[in-house]
Amino acid sequence: MSNVFVRVAIDQPMSVLFDYRYSLPIPPAIGALVQVPFGRRDVVGLICEVAASSDVPAAKLRDVTGICDACPPLSAQWLALAAFAADYYQRGLGEVALPALPQALRDASRWARLFAVDEHFRLLPAGRAELPDALPPRATALRRLAEALAAHPSLGVSDARALHPKASATFDDWLARGWIERAAPGDHALAPETSAPPTGAALLPQLTDEQREAVDAIAAARGFAPFLLHGVTGSGKTEVYLHTLAALLAARANAQALVLVPEINLTPQFEAAFRARFASLAPGSIVTMHSGLAEGERARNWLAAHTGSARIVLGTRLAILASMPDLAIIVVDEEHDPAYKQQEGLRYSARDLAVYRAKQLEIPVVLGSATPSLETWWQAEQGRYARLTLTRRAVADAALPSVRLIDLEEERQRGRASVEGLSGPLIAALKSRLEHGEQSLVFLNRRGYAPILSCDACGWVAGCPRCSAYAVLHKPERVLRCHHCGWESRIPKACPECGNVDIAPMGRGTQRVEETLASVVPGARVLRIDADSTRRKGSAQALFSNVHAGEVDILVGTQMIAKGHDFRRVTLVGVLNADTALFSHDFRASERLFAQLTQVSGRAGRAGLPGEVLIQTRYARHALYLALSRQDYVGFANATLAERRDARLPPFVYQAMLRAEGRTLEAAIAFLEEAAAAFAPLHGAERVTVYDAVPLTIVKVFNVHRAQLLLESGSRAALQSALRAWQPVLRSLKGVLRWNVEVDPLDV
Ligand code: ADP
Ligand code: ZN
Ligand code: ZN
């Protein structure tokens, strides 16, 4: 009797594949999803090999219980990408491949429904005439359903459900009334919700010479071609992407493009631009992929990419592992953004994987930024990435804003008062913008009302009982809240230590600045955007549209307002409290600060009105601020790279971090020390420097103590091979709650 066996990747913290007997009628294929028993559960796995024999004793072998034949197998190339990521980031293949799939595919009980051919309906003339009037006035979901039916030749039930949860019952009802009929599932995908304007060539902006050169260079590329698109804020990088994609998609019938953006809040702006520009593509050709999508939508978008019906995938970092059989170009916008680094589970860099994937597929990859990461800049300096430079803003007459430093020390010496941390010049500038009907933006990277609540009399400070951190005062919500673990308590009326009723907030967060602005700039409509004001789903979008609609005079917020948004009416940006990052122990802090301040400054003066940036600082002569005020990224980058080279820091060396979490700090440190001792004899370890185990800056979070061990080497290969050999050793060590290895850590 002929036997078939399959080796299956499963989402387990082990790097091995699991053998199963295969006796289903459908032949097994590499890359197919299967259902297999694992322990006492059934799990979904991925076939990685098909074999005629197995080393596992027959008595121990179990059977594959199901195969998802409706889903085309994942390609060998996709599996190779997952295998590379697993290897590079020190994980098992299954731990990488399975979490990269949408949840609905990883649950065999949902396969049938996911792939069921949708029942389709079409609006009849009677329905067209009667339905609009028959709907109750406030039934918005029903109305959307009726409008979708009217707008499309036919509508599938699964698309309809996204508009109205009871769509299928509703259709039964409308069917009975003779308003709709069953239809063939021809044109089943929903067209974009945003109605696209006509896209005559006349409406497209004329590319600037610099943009044209960039588009031409990318179009001329053959094979693996990494580009750094270094363009100042407002230089029209998006337009370069749009033109590049338009040329590519027109030239090749099946070609697919992947566009990554750092933040979910930026997807709507990009999506609208792409939908408008590519309105002529078949409906369903543009899909988004990010963590904000409902599960069903996520699965359908993933499948659209996987089957090739989606031509453009627009997503956040997780989209880098999307299956795209005809992927022809990858764009990583704001490539420097730390959000491209996944901080849990598989700690990958989507930007780095994008470059790897482009190399694997021999396609171009475009990394865009006004302030490229120093890793990328260094690649360009060495000539490994081709540099495309946009030095000017694209909109005619729009210049980069002027940057002015407000020396708080000098202000104080001259006896010019600040009001609650807002300097005289900044307040004056805000008032003048208000008079001219222009918008201002006030940036500070600290949310809440005040970071510290303390008692003058005895020195008590409100802290989180579970973390080694202060509890942040949140005034509107009337709580003390820990930003590390979420702990909350009511604000005490008096000092819990000494009874003093004069406990006072120290320092400032966005809520406090919002309050101050309302009083020092009378009549201004102030809006705050930060993680607290946008907690509800969709609220960020609503707040941003208020800004775009001109219903806001002063926008105050954290880095959420700094990134990528094309605010047309902002002419003033004020920066508060940036100094703390100048003296961080993290060697990347200044790079991040420069990028962040450039980004936020870049929101000013985008549409032709002159923009101004005022940075309040106590260190007005600091080199970083001076470079910033000269808009001198290149000078800053090269000086910082020289420092990194002298100090032997990345990108001149490669790093990895072992982090451990224990019930006590001693346990975490002991684990790391044992691990370090076990590392020394490994192959490649002689070329790796192992530093001392140290506690994290915030050592305790949620009652767990954290410490880390840094490894560093001039040889990536030596580091990789030693890390690989280390894995089984680490797994055998005991004494901590959790540990993980991070390759190329961003926070050191
Ligand atoms: P970046 O991403 O480089 O900061 P954007 O892509 O957001 O810049 O473009 C900035 C603004 O310039 C947008 O409003 C965009 O519509 C406009 N723009 C881009 N290219 C052109 C062009 N060639 N002519 C006129 N306006 C342009
Ligand atoms: Zn006290
Ligand atoms: Zn806490």
Side-chain angles (χ1 to χ4, degrees):
M1 131 179 177
S2 81
N3 285 320
V4 180
F5 302 91
V6 290
R7 302 215 162 86
V8 178
I10 290 172
D11 184 9
Q12 283 294 314
M14 278 170 263
S15 45
V16 291
L17 299 178
F18 297 87
D19 285 19
Y20 288 89
R21 202 168 23 230
Y22 190 93
S23 48
L24 299 176
I26 301 152
I30 291 176
L33 291 172
V34 285
Q35 185 186 31
V36 293
F38 187 81
R40 301 170 64 175
R41 296 175 303 141
D42 272 341
V43 299
V44 167
L46 196 58
I47 299 184
C48 291
E49 289 170 37
V50 179
S53 65
S54 167
D55 296 337
V56 178
K60 284 193 156 183
L61 272 177
R62 302 170 79 180
D63 284 292
V64 173
T65 47
I67 184 162
C68 187
D69 59 330
C71 181
L74 285 144
S75 69
Q77 258 162 343
W78 189 86
L79 288 171
L81 171 70
F84 168 80
D87 192 53
Y88 188 78
Y89 293 111
Q90 307 290 321
R91 289 300 185 117
L93 176 58
E95 287 179 284
V96 175
L98 289 146
L101 307 178
Q103 192 55 42
L105 267 179
R106 298 173 58 196
D107 180 351
S109 68
R110 289 158 76 175
W111 287 347
R113 191 134 66 86
L114 201 56
F115 292 96
V117 178
D118 239 4
E119 219 180 344
H120 276 64
F121 294 92
R122 165 170 46 219
L123 195 60
L124 289 170
R128 206 173 281 278
E130 294 165 26
L131 216 153
D133 295 332
L135 296 177
R138 302 262 290 283
T140 36
L142 280 178
R143 200 163 291 279
R144 266 188 282 143
L145 203 53
E147 283 163 6
L149 273 171
H152 298 280
S154 74
L155 189 64
V157 173
S158 65
D159 278 338
R161 258 192 223 109
L163 301 172
H164 190 308
K166 297 212 176 90
S168 64
T170 307
F171 281 172
D172 286 344
D173 178 35
W174 292 355
L175 205 58
R177 292 170 193 258
W179 287 342
I180 59 175
E181 64 176 7
R182 288 204 165 74
D187 179 25
H188 67 91
L190 265 189
E193 277 181 39
T194 44
S195 60
T199 52
L203 287 178
L204 295 186
Q206 181 90 30
L207 289 184
T208 64
D209 292 346
E210 290 179 333
Q211 284 174 322
R212 166 60 52 205
E213 268 178 50
V215 170
D216 289 348
I218 301 166
R222 296 288 167 270
F224 171 54
F227 290 97
L228 164 58
L229 178 62
H230 178 214
V232 299
T233 54
S235 58
K237 294 185 283 292
T238 314
E239 203 55 48
V240 172
Y241 309 147
L242 288 167
H243 272 79
T244 303
L245 263 52
L248 183 101
L249 299 188
R252 281 184 39 199
N254 299 319
Q256 294 179 296
L258 175 59
V259 179
L260 299 182
V261 293
E263 250 221 85
I264 195 168
N265 289 318
L266 289 171
T267 46
Q269 174 182 320
F270 262 74
E271 193 181 348
F274 277 73
R275 288 208 189 285
R277 188 61 59 87
F278 296 105
S280 60
L281 290 179
S285 297
I286 302 178
V287 301
T288 56
M289 237 178 242
H290 54 75
S291 56
L293 295 180
E295 263 184 36
E297 204 178 1
R298 175 112 161 243
R300 275 187 287 142
N301 291 358
W302 189 91
L303 284 170
H306 177 54
T307 55
S309 69
R311 306 284 305 281
I312 300 176
V313 173
L314 195 60
T316 52
R317 63 171 179 255
L318 57 88
I320 190 57
L321 290 173
S323 159
M324 298 178 70
D326 290 303
L327 185 57
I329 189 168
I330 308 177
V331 171
V332 184
D333 190 38
E334 311 292 5
E335 68 87 28
H336 65 277
D337 200 301
Y340 283 120
K341 185 77 193 246
Q342 165 81 24
Q343 296 291 9
E344 54 195 42
L346 178 75
R347 288 158 203 261
Y348 62 93
S349 153
R351 189 259 327 274
D352 294 350
L353 283 181
V355 175
Y356 175 81
R357 196 166 181 184
K359 192 169 184 172
Q360 178 201 28
L361 299 175
E362 303 186 353
I363 59 171
V365 54
V366 181
L367 310 179
S369 177
T371 51
S373 66
L374 290 178
E375 279 76 8
T376 298
W377 185 251
W378 176 233
Q379 296 286 356
E381 286 287 288
Q382 293 170 291
R384 296 203 188 146
Y385 295 179
R387 189 163 18 208
L388 308 169
T389 312
L390 309 178
T391 58
R392 281 180 300 278
R393 287 199 153 170
V395 173
D397 302 329
L400 283 175
S402 63
V403 177
R404 185 148 67 94
L405 302 172
I406 300 174
D407 188 334
L408 292 176
E409 202 48 41
E410 197 182 302
E411 290 291 308
R412 195 183 57 82
Q413 280 169 10
R414 297 209 182 158
R416 288 199 287 245
S418 296
V419 183
E420 281 274 342
L422 297 179
S423 66
L426 180 56
I427 294 174
L430 288 166
K431 285 182 174 163
S432 136
R433 287 328 194 276
L434 180 64
E435 281 162 20
H436 290 92
E438 294 166 20
Q439 291 176 317
S440 303
L441 192 156
V442 175
F443 168 74
L444 87 162
N445 224 350
R446 184 183 281 154
R447 65 194 170 86
Y449 186 82
I452 297 171
L453 180 67
S454 70
C455 167
D456 265 357
C458 75
W460 168 85
V461 178
C464 171
R466 304 190 294 212
C467 306
S468 48
Y470 297 134
V472 178
L473 176 63
H474 283 250
K475 199 168 169 187
E477 306 98 310
R478 286 199 241 136
V479 290
L480 287 172
R481 182 182 291 157
C482 172
H483 286 188
H484 301 280
C485 73
W487 172 87
E488 278 189 358
S489 98
R490 291 177 39 198
I491 304 167
K493 297 226 165 12
C495 171
E497 296 287 325
C498 75
N500 172 19
V501 290
D502 266 353
I503 50 177
M506 277 166 53
R508 266 169 288 280
T510 44
Q511 293 174 348
R512 193 171 191 175
V513 172
E514 177 189 19
E515 184 182 281
T516 308
L517 283 168
S519 70
V520 298
V521 193
R525 294 164 299 175
V526 180
L527 176 72
R528 172 170 55 89
I529 297 191
D530 58 23
D532 299 308
S533 73
T534 56
R535 222 166 270 279
R536 272 181 310 109
K537 201 180 169 208
S539 58
Q541 217 35 50
L543 294 182
F544 280 116
S545 30
N546 289 346
V547 183
H548 290 293
E551 287 155 14
V552 173
D553 300 310
I554 304 178
L555 174 62
V556 50
T558 55
Q559 34 97 20
M560 278 182 82
I561 63 173
K563 296 179 183 179
H565 293 279
D566 194 20
F567 298 127
R568 308 305 302 262
R569 294 175 225 220
V570 170
T571 57
L572 174 71
V573 168
V575 176
L576 312 182
N577 262 342
D579 288 345
T580 40
L582 293 175
F583 306 104
S584 164
H585 61 280
D586 187 334
F587 71 89
R588 281 196 182 85
S590 63
E591 176 184 350
R592 272 200 289 268
L593 180 62
F594 191 92
Q596 210 166 56
L597 295 186
T598 303
Q599 281 298 324
V600 68
S601 303
R603 300 315 106 208
R606 295 172 73 85
L609 293 167
E612 187 181 25
V613 180
L614 300 181
I615 300 176
Q616 297 193 168
T617 172
R618 286 179 200 291
Y619 306 91
R621 275 176 291 278
H622 196 284
L624 187 146
Y625 288 138
L626 294 178
L628 198 72
S629 58
R630 291 193 306 263
Q631 321 267 9
D632 184 14
Y633 167 80
V634 175
F636 172 80
N638 289 339
T640 311
L641 269 183
E643 283 169 24
R644 297 257 187 103
R645 189 202 302 264
D646 289 345
R648 296 201 46 72
L649 288 168
F652 300 97
V653 294
Y654 304 98
Q655 295 185 328
M657 188 74 87
L658 173 64
R659 293 202 182 83
E661 301 183 356
R663 291 212 188 282
T664 62
L665 179 59
E666 291 69 34
I669 297 273
F671 174 90
L672 295 176
E673 285 173 348
E674 248 188 287
F679 185 83
L682 301 174
H683 177 72
E686 67 285 356
R687 299 178 62 190
V688 178
T689 307
V690 181
Y691 289 87
D692 286 341
V694 291
L696 263 67
T697 319
I698 294 173
V699 60
K700 185 176 79 164
V701 167
F702 220 137
N703 297 321
V704 166
H705 293 76
R706 313 173 311 159
Q708 64 186 24
L709 182 79
L710 178 66
L711 303 107
E712 195 175 271
S713 178
S715 157
R716 201 196 286 274
L719 181 61
Q720 283 279 326
S721 104
L723 287 178
R724 228 342 105 200
W726 206 21
Q727 287 291 330
V729 186
L730 291 176
R731 277 201 281 271
S732 71
L733 295 180
K734 299 273 178 299
V736 287
L737 301 165
R738 276 181 296 276
W739 56 268
N740 66 71
V741 171
E742 181 172 357
V743 178
D744 305 329
L746 271 192
D747 303 307
V748 175

